[in-house]
Amino acid sequence: MSETSSIKPKDYKSDIKPIWCPGCGHYAILSAITKTLAYLELKREEVALISGIGCSSRLPAYLDIYGFHGVHGRALPVAAGLKAARPDLTVLAAGGDGDGFSIGGNHFLHACRRNMDLTYIVLDNRVYGMTKGQASPTTEPEWSHSKLTPHGTGIPRFRPAAIALASGAGFIARGYAGAPAELSRLLVEAIRFPGFAFVHVLSQCTTFRPEHRAWKTLVHPCENEVMDDPVEASHCIHADDGMTLGIFYRNPHAVWQPANEEKGSLAQIEREFFK
Ligand SMILES: Cc1ncc(C[n+]2csc(CCOP(=O)(O)OP(=O)(O)O)c2C)c(N)n1
Ligand code: SF4
């Protein structure tokens, strides 16, 4: 990371102190994001982070950049709208596994397919943290610690990387809150990638999934070179045990960005609307 940059990671932090539980993985991801922005020397007014709802989606409050703490599962359409109107901005979207893969699952598929120049960071703790520990789409089928699913869900886990690949995402990577320097390197690559970049981040929930402490012994680096062939990447992603870290797939292709010539001022839009 650059030592010469005049803009420091702390410059991107707001004065609001995070209220996450002690040891929550989301702290390290917040720090990785600020380090990434400083490394890329992005001015605060050049970047926006859009979130949904959940512990993870509190991120915009803790950052002193443009931000929008949105509606559950709706970070991606808001981020896409912002990018359509302001292509000059670096637009990040972030949220949890419940937010992005359950209620927002449909948006995830189509954001991958549409391929706007966005970076989507999912803080995956395999549980609904904010609503006190229900199973999410990435929860193991046998996990039975929620009163709602006392015998486990019995349903196979959602495979975010495989679904992103099948839906057309051009950049797919996985990081871990316990490896923040590596995560920051992934985020740099993701933001530089021209198109939709999906960064799946394992983020431990110390309160509802204390067994996540073992993750530090389970994660392992991706042994393959970064792939640009979807068939090869598909083999690799299907063989993955969910704990592989690194960039799985990188394949830039046509970015969708609506033409902005007809964009009017707010006053013009209002006049058209009430005509
Ligand atoms: C439309 C809607 N449905 C349900 C909720 C309740 N709700 C708030 S946060 C949340 C789950 C958040 O879990 P996740 O996205 O995994 O994030 P985490 O809190 O674990 O970081 C739910 C279901 C809501 N706020 N809005
Ligand atoms: S409930 Fe879990 S995800 Fe939410 S702040 Fe606490 S440790 Fe983090």
Side-chain angles (χ1 to χ4, degrees), residues 2 38 53 55 68 140 142 182 184 186 242 248:
S2 166
I53 298 289
C55 300
F68 186 76
E140 300 78 354
E142 63 283 359
E182 179 55 24
S184 188
L186 294 179
F248 297 120

Side-chain angles (χ1 to χ4, degrees), residues 2 6 28 32-33 120 151 153 164 169 180 202 216 274:
S2 166
S6 56
I33 291 173
Y120 184 37
H151 307 293
T153 63
L202 302 173
K216 55 179 175 299
F274 292 111

Side-chain angles (χ1 to χ4, degrees), residues 148-227:
L148 285 182
T149 49
H151 307 293
T153 63
I155 304 170
R157 299 179 46 213
F158 189 88
R159 308 283 302 266
I163 289 163
L165 182 72
S167 306
F171 181 101
I172 303 169
R174 187 181 297 124
Y176 170 43
E182 179 55 24
L183 173 59
S184 188
R185 279 191 279 276
L186 294 179
L187 291 174
V188 167
E189 294 294 318
I191 292 172
R192 284 181 172 159
F193 178 77
F196 186 80
F198 170 51
V199 185
H200 183 213
V201 190
L202 302 173
S203 182
Q204 68 275 7
C205 175
T206 40
T207 298
F208 297 107
R209 307 274 337 240
E211 70 277 19
H212 285 169
R213 289 199 177 88
W215 275 358
K216 55 179 175 299
T217 62
L218 299 175
V219 292
H220 53 91
C222 185
E223 293 189 350
N224 304 303
E225 294 290 303
V226 179
M227 294 179 184

Side-chain angles (χ1 to χ4, degrees), residues 5 10 48 54 62 79 91 99 105-106 108 144 160 162-164 183 189 245 258:
S5 167
K10 68 175 172 45
Y62 306 142
V91 180
D99 186 84
N106 179 39
F108 178 50
S144 56
I163 289 163
L183 173 59
E189 294 294 318
L245 307 181

Side-chain angles (χ1 to χ4, degrees), residues 26 53-56 72 96-99 103 123 125 127-131:
H26 301 349
I53 298 289
C55 300
S56 34
H72 197 38
D97 40 299
D99 186 84
I103 193 165
L123 291 72
N125 51 22
V127 76
Y128 285 6
M130 181 173 266
T131 46

